Amino acid sequence: MRFSGSKPKNKSKANKVVVLYRYAVLSLAGTFCLAFFFVLVMLSPVSSKDESKEIVVAIPQQATAGMVGEILKKEGLVRSSLAFRLYTRWKSMDSGIKAGQYRLSSALSTPQIIMELVDGRLAVQSITIPEGLNTAQVADLLAAKGLVNREKFISVVANQEFPYSFLSRAPEGDKRLEGYLFPDTYNFNIGDSESAIVETMLKRFQREIDELGFAALAERNGMTLHQAVTIASLVEREAKADEERPLIAGVIYNRLKISMPLQIDATIQYALGENKPEIYYKDLEVDSPYNTYKNYGLPPGPIAMPGRPSLLAAVNPADTDYLYYVAKPDGYHAFATTLAQHNVNKEMYQR
């Protein structure tokens, strides 16, 4: 007779092993699921689109992924600096983060923010420089938008050399780039230097005059490029309607031909350093080379930043005999050939 008492015992032992194995697998699976869920949560956006906010954040040069994660966590842009660092390392992006200033939304997930930083999508500030501003006003506008330090900007304008031939006859000092910082809408990166911003505006001016063939047209009219830009700036400050710009340019050319003072009020405002709504007789006595009541010919340089229509008018003046014009209440002008007719127009429109 054979006894087999050991078999149930072995079977029980095997069952225990199977149960332990299953338990271990389930535990590992559960742990993995929890970890996966935790990672998903840690990489998810900090806020919903409805509650999101945009934050400009500065990433310094040579910052490690860990340092960047800490910066973003402090600014409320990521849920976990550790998750940020581990994710960038897992994706081999930790060395691809670019320095600069970024405008980031709290509705972006951590992977989306990382892509912004790796692609170098720097924060951009859009700004429109209107026609007719002078250098000081451009500096004020840029400073008000937080794009420049005003004093540094003026210093760059006055002292830094830029490789553009159209500046060869520009005057020295803080009026050197007057007329050449082209008025337009620009998208500047937040953090751009004052030099970079000036360079962008000068490059835009270069493109404009190249497209217009401005230098050749100025020469055809017996003017240097600098003189033609000066005329364009006078037209810009005097005219409101584009169709009148060539007429006003024609008046300027006609007066220059007969050595008649230009007598343009905008130059008095420029000489005084303020846009006075009304010019008085005492203002006409201001001692300045920009005073076109006391000095013959063109002022030393532009008095404002002319736009494309004024640049075009300055080298394509209307063929006219007009020597005078006076502003009407609607912003247009009444033109005259004789002083007598001009006085009639003044009486009619400037009561």
Side-chain angles (χ1 to χ4, degrees):
M1 186 176 186
R2 294 182 180 177
F3 295 94
S4 55
S6 62
K7 288 185 178 180
K9 191 175 180 181
N10 290 337
K11 188 174 181 181
S12 174
K13 202 180 275 190
N15 287 338
K16 285 182 179 180
V17 170
V18 170
V19 170
L20 288 172
Y21 176 76
R22 287 177 178 173
Y23 178 79
V25 170
L26 289 173
S27 296
L28 285 173
T31 301
F32 177 79
C33 288
L34 286 173
F36 181 73
F37 179 74
F38 177 78
V39 169
L40 283 181
V41 171
M42 288 298 99
L43 295 177
S44 67
V46 171
S47 61
S48 66
K49 288 185 178 180
D50 293 338
E51 299 176 341
S52 67
K53 56 183 178 179
E54 288 194 339
I55 298 170
V56 175
V57 60
I59 304 301
Q61 294 284 349
Q62 299 179 332
T64 64
M67 291 167 59
V68 174
E70 290 293 339
I71 292 171
L72 296 174
K73 178 68 170 65
K74 182 179 178 181
E75 295 292 343
L77 289 165
V78 299
R79 293 181 180 274
S80 167
S81 58
L82 176 61
F84 177 91
R85 180 164 58 85
L86 293 176
Y87 187 88
T88 56
R89 183 174 297 177
W90 176 50
K91 289 290 188 178
S92 299
M93 292 178 166
D94 47 338
S95 61
I97 296 173
K98 297 177 177 64
Q101 296 200 47
Y102 296 82
R103 188 185 301 276
L104 300 172
S105 169
S106 60
L108 293 176
S109 66
T110 294
Q112 288 173 321
I113 287 176
I114 291 169
M115 288 304 300
E116 296 275 331
L117 301 179
V118 171
D119 289 347
R121 300 171 192 168
L122 297 176
V124 169
Q125 173 79 52
S126 181
I127 185 170
T128 298
I129 307 297
E131 293 88 348
L133 297 189
N134 58 39
T135 300
Q137 292 168 325
V138 171
D140 289 338
L141 182 57
L142 291 169
K145 290 286 187 178
L147 287 166
V148 301
N149 174 284
R150 190 185 189 282
E151 288 68 32
K152 285 184 181 178
F153 183 85
I154 295 297
S155 177
V156 166
V157 167
N159 302 308
Q160 186 165 326
E161 294 297 324
F162 293 94
Y164 294 97
S165 59
F166 58 74
L167 296 177
S168 60
R169 300 203 179 190
E172 295 297 319
D174 57 8
K175 298 183 184 343
R176 189 166 63 98
L177 302 186
E178 197 76 272
Y180 297 104
L181 302 175
F182 193 77
D184 201 357
T185 296
Y186 294 93
N187 292 317
F188 294 119
N189 292 327
I190 294 177
D192 278 352
S193 68
E194 286 77 9
S195 297
I197 288 174
V198 170
E199 172 72 27
T200 298
M201 299 177 78
L202 291 175
K203 188 180 294 184
R204 179 70 182 83
F205 180 87
Q206 179 74 74
R207 190 177 79 188
E208 194 68 25
I209 62 172
D210 287 347
E211 289 177 0
L212 293 175
F214 189 81
L217 291 173
E219 186 177 357
R220 187 186 70 184
N221 284 278
M223 297 288 171
T224 65
L225 185 146
H226 185 68
Q227 289 172 326
V229 175
T230 300
I231 292 173
S233 75
L234 301 176
V235 171
E236 187 64 63
R237 292 288 286 114
E238 291 288 284
K240 290 186 178 179
D242 284 350
E243 58 266 33
E244 286 194 346
R245 297 182 195 278
L247 287 170
I248 290 177
V251 171
I252 292 171
Y253 274 95
N254 289 343
R255 287 193 168 214
L256 290 173
K257 285 176 186 175
I258 62 174
S259 298
M260 182 178 181
L262 295 181
Q263 298 180 317
I264 292 176
D265 287 355
T267 64
I268 300 298
Q269 293 174 322
Y270 189 77
L272 293 171
E274 57 178 315
N275 289 331
K276 297 182 69 172
E278 190 171 350
I279 300 296
Y280 298 99
Y281 284 113
K282 66 177 182 179
D283 296 327
L284 304 182
E285 297 301 317
V286 61
D287 184 17
S288 168
Y290 288 89
N291 184 342
T292 56
Y293 279 81
K294 295 179 70 173
N295 301 295
Y296 289 83
L298 290 169
I303 62 170
M305 311 301 172
R308 185 184 182 97
S310 292
L311 287 169
L312 199 55
V315 290
N316 289 282
D319 185 7
T320 176
D321 293 329
Y322 292 142
L323 287 171
Y324 305 90
Y325 58 84
V326 62
K328 299 191 291 186
D330 61 1
Y332 284 81
H333 292 81
F335 292 85
T337 302
T338 66
L339 180 59
Q341 181 59 52
H342 178 58
N343 287 333
V344 170
N345 290 337
K346 285 171 65 177
E347 182 67 26
M348 183 179 302
Y349 296 114
Q350 291 190 342
R351 292 176 183 175

